[in-house]
Amino acid sequence: MKTLDRETTETAAASGLEGVEAARTALSDVDGERGRLTIAGHDVEALAARAGFEDVCALLWDGRRPDAGEREDLRRALGRARRQAFGEIAGLGSALKASDGMDALRAAVAHLTVPRDEREGMVHITAATAVFAAAWCRIRAGLPLVPPDPARTHAADYLNMATGGADQAAGLEAYLVTAAEHGMNASTFAARVVTSTGSDLVSAVVAGIGALKGPLHGGAPGLVLDMLDAIGEPERAAAWVEAELRAGRRLMGMGHRIYRVRDPRAAVLEKAVEALERAGVARARLRLARATEKAAQDALAARHPERPLRTNVEFYTAVLLEAVGLPREAFTPTFAVARVAGWCAHVAEQRRVGKLIRPSAAYVGPLSAPDPDDHRDGQ
Ligand code: COA
């Protein structure tokens, strides 16, 4: 970890620790200048084209792509754990009745007791996150729960449990692969800070869920759809975007702390939506999204020539998750269904570091006032 002088500390705090290296990690590298995301030695584009969520879990948890037998073992283990988590729903009280999906997920995951074995704990909490997020979708819609089918892949089963069908599972698979891991983002950092105190996996994941909920992190994709709905027609995009920026509001799905070019994950997800488009799904939405993306990037480039603000992952996430049939309220919980794999890997990595994360703060409050009862100075 870098040692910072006072001036650097103040600058780092003011800029949200931008550029500060808070850990050494073998899990992923986010190259913001070139727009590249490497997950444990693999480009995200290549992974999304060839790997499934189980492969990414194995890559993050074991450090290498699984062979066919290992992939099958992990698929079965996740399936068994989903079935077990489904059996735990009855004991969750009112957790899954919360109106916000992330509140529900946070409360439900907090109930878990996971196996002490590190690997089994990861499998259990990853499976349970999907089961609880899907169950919340059903409860919210007033529909009966759909039990897990351990024979399916994790992506297909999550989609089936949440929507009652898995026709578009390939699109969701691409999303889960793409969103599973992304450097020292806020929720991952939160999970690592909790782990660094010697706390447990469930507490770390609950912290991750809390951080992911915010609109500046994972809470944006539903808001992207609200924006597209408000724009309505491609021809209205430029005027709408201008009015929004004039009113001092942010455009959802645009800008990123690290990327100064288009987020590579946006390209992966756009490709996944294009596959759906070829199958006759989401055509009008994609046309509107493209027009909005162009209008937003043009307007932001004119306003901030000094700071490239380009499309981030949330933009095409919104279009893709809608196209696979998930309701927009489930978008951020679905982000957690993917990212929990990364949180688990970071928890394991942080445990091996074994060092408390405890930065300092530059005190800018008042100096201590003289104690009115202390008359020694005058005597
Ligand atoms: N729309 C409009 N203006 C934006 C913007 C957006 N999406 N993102 C950044 N800006 C502007 C800010 O208003 C600020 O302008 P100012 O200096 O005139 O006040 C400038 O760009 C820098 O913004 P800042 O908040 O310091 O950048 P950041 O790196 O801390 O922010 C995000 C990164 C993601 C939080 C930010 O881009 C954002 O709020 N995006 C919208 C929400 C979103 O899509 N979140 C998902 C993230 S994956």
Side-chain angles (χ1 to χ4, degrees):
M1 206 178 294
K2 276 180 188 167
T3 310
L4 305 172
D5 59 32
R6 188 181 171 87
E7 194 185 333
T8 315
T9 306
E10 286 175 8
T11 313
S15 64
L17 304 185
E18 186 167 352
V20 175
E21 285 172 8
R24 292 171 69 80
T25 183
L27 297 171
S28 65
D29 180 48
V30 183
D31 181 341
E33 295 300 327
R34 286 187 295 165
R36 284 184 66 177
L37 167 60
T38 308
I39 299 180
H42 299 262
D43 268 341
V44 70
E45 287 94 339
L47 274 183
R50 289 195 291 275
F53 182 69
E54 281 80 356
D55 295 86
V56 176
C57 288
L59 192 55
L60 290 169
W61 301 345
D62 306 328
R64 60 184 174 80
R65 289 279 294 274
D67 61 27
E70 290 165 334
R71 182 184 304 112
E72 183 57 15
D73 285 349
L74 182 54
R75 191 183 63 71
R76 283 172 200 244
L78 280 165
R80 279 194 303 275
R82 287 195 302 275
R83 194 153 53 192
Q84 192 182 334
F86 190 75
E88 292 172 32
I89 289 176
L92 296 179
S94 59
L96 294 178
K97 297 201 182 100
S99 58
D100 181 279
M102 291 301 275
D103 289 346
L105 202 52
R106 196 185 54 219
V109 170
H111 276 75
L112 284 175
T113 307
V114 299
R116 288 185 76 81
D117 176 80
E118 184 170 85
R119 173 60 180 242
E120 282 179 32
M122 291 177 177
V123 168
H124 193 90
I125 206 161
T126 299
T129 303
V131 169
F132 297 162
W136 175 79
C137 282
R138 305 295 291 179
I139 291 167
R140 186 190 144 271
L143 295 167
L145 300 187
V146 178
D149 174 358
R152 293 178 189 264
T153 65
H154 193 67
D157 206 23
Y158 171 60
L159 193 56
N160 192 51
M161 288 187 289
T163 67
D167 289 353
Q168 310 300 346
L172 185 69
E173 190 91 56
Y175 172 72
L176 294 186
V177 168
T178 308
E181 163 60 16
H182 198 241
M184 195 52 57
N185 57 87
S187 59
T188 296
F189 186 50
R192 284 189 80 127
V193 170
V194 169
T195 304
S196 82
T197 69
S199 188
D200 61 293
L201 176 63
V202 173
S203 301
V205 168
V206 167
I209 292 170
L212 188 67
K213 180 185 172 190
L216 300 191
H217 187 3
L223 302 174
V224 170
L225 281 195
D226 295 343
M227 175 175 81
L228 295 179
D229 283 348
I231 295 170
E233 298 296 330
E235 301 69 38
R236 295 188 54 214
W240 191 92
V241 158
E242 274 305 329
E244 199 68 359
L245 290 176
R246 257 201 315 277
R249 285 189 286 270
R250 292 190 175 206
L251 303 174
M252 290 297 123
M254 295 288 143
H256 197 274
R257 173 57 64 81
I258 307 275
Y259 292 118
R260 295 292 161 253
V261 292
R262 197 176 192 243
D263 185 331
R265 299 167 300 168
V268 172
L269 299 182
E270 188 184 7
K271 251 191 216 146
V273 186
E274 278 167 4
L276 293 174
E277 191 188 20
R278 283 194 293 278
V281 183
R283 284 196 177 137
R285 212 32 146 182
L286 196 54
R287 232 185 11 258
L288 175 60
R290 289 207 181 100
T292 303
E293 179 181 22
K294 180 168 182 334
Q297 293 201 353
D298 290 351
L300 288 170
R303 268 193 165 66
H304 292 280
E306 78 301 341
R307 185 180 181 96
L309 294 166
R310 309 291 300 274
T311 319
N312 66 44
V313 67
E314 307 282 14
F315 192 81
Y316 282 101
T317 290
V319 184
L320 177 62
L321 294 188
E322 181 186 50
V324 303
L326 286 165
R328 70 188 67 184
E329 297 76 14
F331 290 0
T332 309
T334 303
F335 195 166
V337 168
R339 185 55 59 84
V340 67
W343 293 333
C344 286
H346 277 274
V347 165
E349 195 176 62
Q350 182 63 42
R351 272 195 190 132
R352 289 194 291 277
V353 174
K355 179 87 181 159
L356 177 69
I357 298 175
R358 204 296 189 190
S360 52
Y363 178 64
V364 294
L367 296 174
S368 52
D371 185 343
D373 296 332
D374 186 351
H375 303 297
R376 273 173 306 180
D377 285 352
Q379 286 169 359

